[in-house]
Amino acid sequence: MEKQEAKSLGRRLVLVVFPFQGHINPMLQLATILNSKGFSITIVHPQFNSPNHAKHPEFSFVSLPDGLSKSNISPTDLVALISALKTNCEAPFQQYLEEMLKVDDPHDRVACVVYDGFMHFAQVVANNLKLPGINVRTSAVATLLFFAVFPRAHDQGYISFKECLAQAPAPELQSLDFNDVLGPAEIPTPLLELRATVTHATKKASAVIVNTMHFLEQQTMSKVHEYFPSPIFCIGPFHKLAPPSASSTSLLKEDTSCISWLDKQAPNSVIYISFGSMVSMDEKELVEIAWGLANSEQPFLWVVRPGLVHGSEWIELLPESFKERVEGRGCIVKWAPQKEVLAHGAVGGFWSHCGWNSTMESVCEGVPMLCRPYFGDQGLGARYVCRVWKVGLELEGVLERGKIERAIRTLMVDSEGVEIRERAKDLKEKADLCLSEDGSSYNALNELAQHILSF
Ligand code: UDP
């Protein structure tokens, strides 16, 4: 579909963002993709972690009062967070949309509400105003099942875990080991309720958009279709379909000096370490990682986010003897231009927490991974990487310097690592195909645009 075609039809999409880095990035990338297809875009976001409006003059922005800025809710307390956003944002969002709909401009008509799955109240508002809602998963297709399926067999409104998997024990689903990823058999009731609410909204949506590639989750996708009637468009990874000119959506300032440092390193020699925007760890773990890196004798680029260890400023907890030992061989930054880092020829491995964005970014650049998931969907990402696609190794159990040193050497220099690297390169080639003309993501995007125009 040509850009002009959609523009002349005057369709505006209202995108609702969940205010954390791993959700802001894909949602703004999606906005850029849809804008490049000719749709006008309004970004609705809570005040907390506001994206920088000035960086995106092509979008309109609306900021909703959220009550989060002053609260003590931890970013990892998903239930409290999502519930606070619903309580504080639902009414102002409905009010805003009502006002918008009153201005009946045929050249700028609201076509639908496209919302992050965690902002599920947006579907309720869309239903109230008789607008179509499109649910966006910024993570794997498997998270649709992850939220819908749970281990207890007989509770109302949920899909039984046993029933879901016993009927079709596809190898991919078996490798994901939902039983384990889903956590304890006795899931707290508020979390179960949240899963049910998010799943309910997804089922009410006119369509679902997922930041994944079909071939990566083929068997899971077949299973998901059994439970979710709406059309599902796998148009990921968004960061690759977004026009290359798209501005950075980082909330933290990227330290680009690490790129000049990478320029001086040998090809495939550097291990890049980053645990994303939300993981925190204790001092002991940080120090074990430091010595593991030092003892591996490999060059490394390490993102130590301020506050990675709760209460710390930055790297003051790292011993001076470590800093002296790795001088010149290691580069530590507060925040990196990660996509550029992963695309750099010097980077030969990525030690990651397996957030879905990081996982997709690594897959697209053919970089093999060391996986250390902490919470949420990170365990799912790690299982895909290590057990399904087999392009990484998992670092399990207590983190200790000897284990880290061995794992890094296995990935970066041993024969096992060479095989993993080859598979990672193969996966990148498949991803390139998927994104190119007539590839599955490319085609799904065109189908999505047509679907929106049919509303
Ligand atoms: N990121 C970045 N620089 C860094 C670390 C991370 O730009 O130093 C970006 C990364 O490219 C990804 C996002 O932050 O797009 C993190 O999302 P992810 O889903 O991997 O993890 P989360 O932060 O949600 O745990």
Side-chain angles (χ1 to χ4, degrees):
M1 189 190 55
E2 293 305 310
K3 180 166 179 160
Q4 220 33 50
E5 194 186 324
K7 258 241 153 87
S8 63
L9 289 166
R11 301 300 173 94
R12 175 166 294 276
L13 309 181
V14 176
L15 270 71
V16 186
V17 175
F18 183 63
F20 289 91
Q21 187 73 74
H23 292 252
I24 293 170
N25 286 2
M27 218 45 189
L28 291 189
Q29 286 153 4
L30 178 62
T32 311
I33 294 168
L34 293 170
N35 186 235
S36 76
K37 285 284 178 193
F39 296 101
S40 307
I41 303 289
T42 297
I43 304 282
V44 176
H45 64 85
Q47 284 164 342
F48 179 71
N49 275 348
S50 168
N52 185 345
H53 298 188
K55 278 193 184 167
H56 308 278
E58 69 280 27
F59 306 146
S60 305
F61 284 90
V62 175
S63 165
L64 299 175
D66 56 36
L68 286 187
S69 324
K70 290 184 224 95
S71 77
N72 288 323
I73 297 174
S74 147
T76 54
D77 188 351
L78 210 57
V79 176
L81 205 59
I82 293 174
S83 148
L85 284 167
K86 177 186 158 44
T87 307
N88 298 315
C89 298
E90 183 170 348
F93 179 52
Q94 172 142 346
Q95 215 172 3
Y96 158 73
L97 262 188
E98 280 168 0
E99 292 301 318
M100 212 173 169
L101 293 173
K102 272 188 208 153
V103 185
D104 190 17
D105 179 354
H107 302 295
D108 195 16
R109 195 162 66 76
V110 177
C112 64
V113 176
V114 182
Y115 61 94
D116 187 304
F118 287 160
M119 303 295 268
H120 58 81
F121 65 83
Q123 180 66 52
V124 177
V125 171
N127 293 345
N128 292 345
L129 302 179
K130 307 215 170 350
L131 280 171
I134 299 187
N135 187 299
V136 182
R137 282 292 152 140
T138 59
S139 188
V141 152
T143 60
L144 289 167
L145 284 183
F146 184 97
F147 269 72
V149 171
F150 80 113
R152 294 198 308 241
H154 300 298
D155 298 56
Q156 246 345 87
Y158 301 96
I159 303 164
S160 139
F161 171 71
K162 281 207 180 81
E163 185 193 304
C164 172
L165 294 191
Q167 283 168 5
E172 184 178 299
L173 278 162
Q174 280 180 336
S175 301
L176 291 181
D177 202 355
F178 267 38
N179 210 356
D180 200 20
V181 184
L182 281 165
E186 280 310 312
I187 304 166
T189 306
L191 183 54
L192 278 180
E193 284 170 1
L194 171 70
R195 285 185 185 166
T197 311
V198 169
T199 301
H200 183 69
T202 313
K203 287 185 174 170
K204 289 272 172 211
S206 302
V208 183
I209 300 175
V210 193
N211 190 14
T212 191
M213 289 176 272
H214 190 266
F215 81 94
L216 288 178
E217 303 192 76
Q218 215 161 341
Q219 294 170 358
T220 310
M221 183 56 132
S222 309
K223 198 75 204 165
V224 165
H225 275 305
E226 289 177 27
Y227 296 105
F228 292 87
S230 320
I232 299 176
F233 298 95
C234 294
I235 62 164
F238 300 165
H239 76 280
K240 281 289 183 183
L241 277 185
S245 57
S247 315
S248 160
T249 49
S250 271
L251 295 168
L252 296 173
K253 190 171 171 348
E254 292 168 347
D255 183 344
T256 50
S257 67
C258 60
I259 300 294
S260 347
W261 181 84
L262 283 174
D263 288 342
K264 296 188 204 100
Q265 311 303 317
N268 287 331
S269 66
V270 175
I271 177 137
Y272 167 62
I273 306 102
S274 166
F275 304 104
S277 61
M278 289 162 96
V279 162
S280 60
M281 59 183 58
D282 60 25
E283 180 179 346
K284 184 166 183 316
E285 209 168 350
L286 183 89
V287 171
E288 288 304 305
I289 293 174
W291 284 116
L293 289 170
N295 297 340
S296 77
E297 300 293 343
Q298 299 301 302
F300 65 87
L301 167 58
W302 186 11
V303 176
V304 179
R305 220 181 58 238
L308 177 64
V309 174
H310 193 65
S312 69
E313 291 277 321
W314 188 35
I315 52 172
E316 69 278 10
L317 297 172
L318 293 176
E320 281 309 314
S321 49
F322 159 77
K323 292 178 188 164
E324 282 158 22
R325 167 103 180 264
V326 301
E327 172 102 54
R329 177 160 64 81
C331 174
I332 304 181
V333 293
K334 291 180 176 167
W335 192 251
Q338 180 164 302
K339 293 196 288 293
E340 215 180 321
V341 165
L342 289 168
H344 198 289
V347 172
F350 179 17
W351 177 358
S352 171
H353 68 310
C354 294
W356 191 250
N357 295 291
S358 295
T359 305
M360 289 297 98
E361 289 159 9
S362 205
V363 163
C364 284
E365 300 308 334
V367 178
M369 294 170 81
L370 258 192
C371 301
R372 177 73 180 175
Y374 284 78
F375 60 84
D377 63 351
Q378 298 160 13
L380 205 61
R383 279 170 171 78
Y384 266 126
V385 170
C386 303
R387 301 183 193 177
V388 180
W389 313 324
K390 300 188 169 58
V391 294
L393 297 171
E394 185 160 356
L395 256 173
E396 290 175 294
V398 178
L399 269 192
E400 140 316 284
R401 61 192 73 185
K403 189 194 281 182
I404 295 169
E405 176 192 338
R406 282 190 297 280
I408 293 175
R409 294 193 62 78
T410 304
L411 189 76
M412 301 298 288
V413 291
D414 292 354
S415 55
E416 192 184 339
V418 172
E419 286 170 22
I420 295 174
R421 186 174 310 279
E422 276 166 16
R423 282 196 291 273
K425 297 283 172 222
D426 286 349
L427 206 62
K428 173 189 162 35
E429 281 173 24
K430 288 188 183 142
D432 287 344
L433 279 179
C434 182
L435 291 156
S436 62
E437 201 168 332
D438 263 344
S440 67
S441 289
Y442 178 95
N443 287 339
L445 174 59
N446 285 331
E447 287 159 19
L448 169 69
Q450 290 304 334
H451 186 73
I452 297 174
L453 287 174
S454 74
F455 291 147

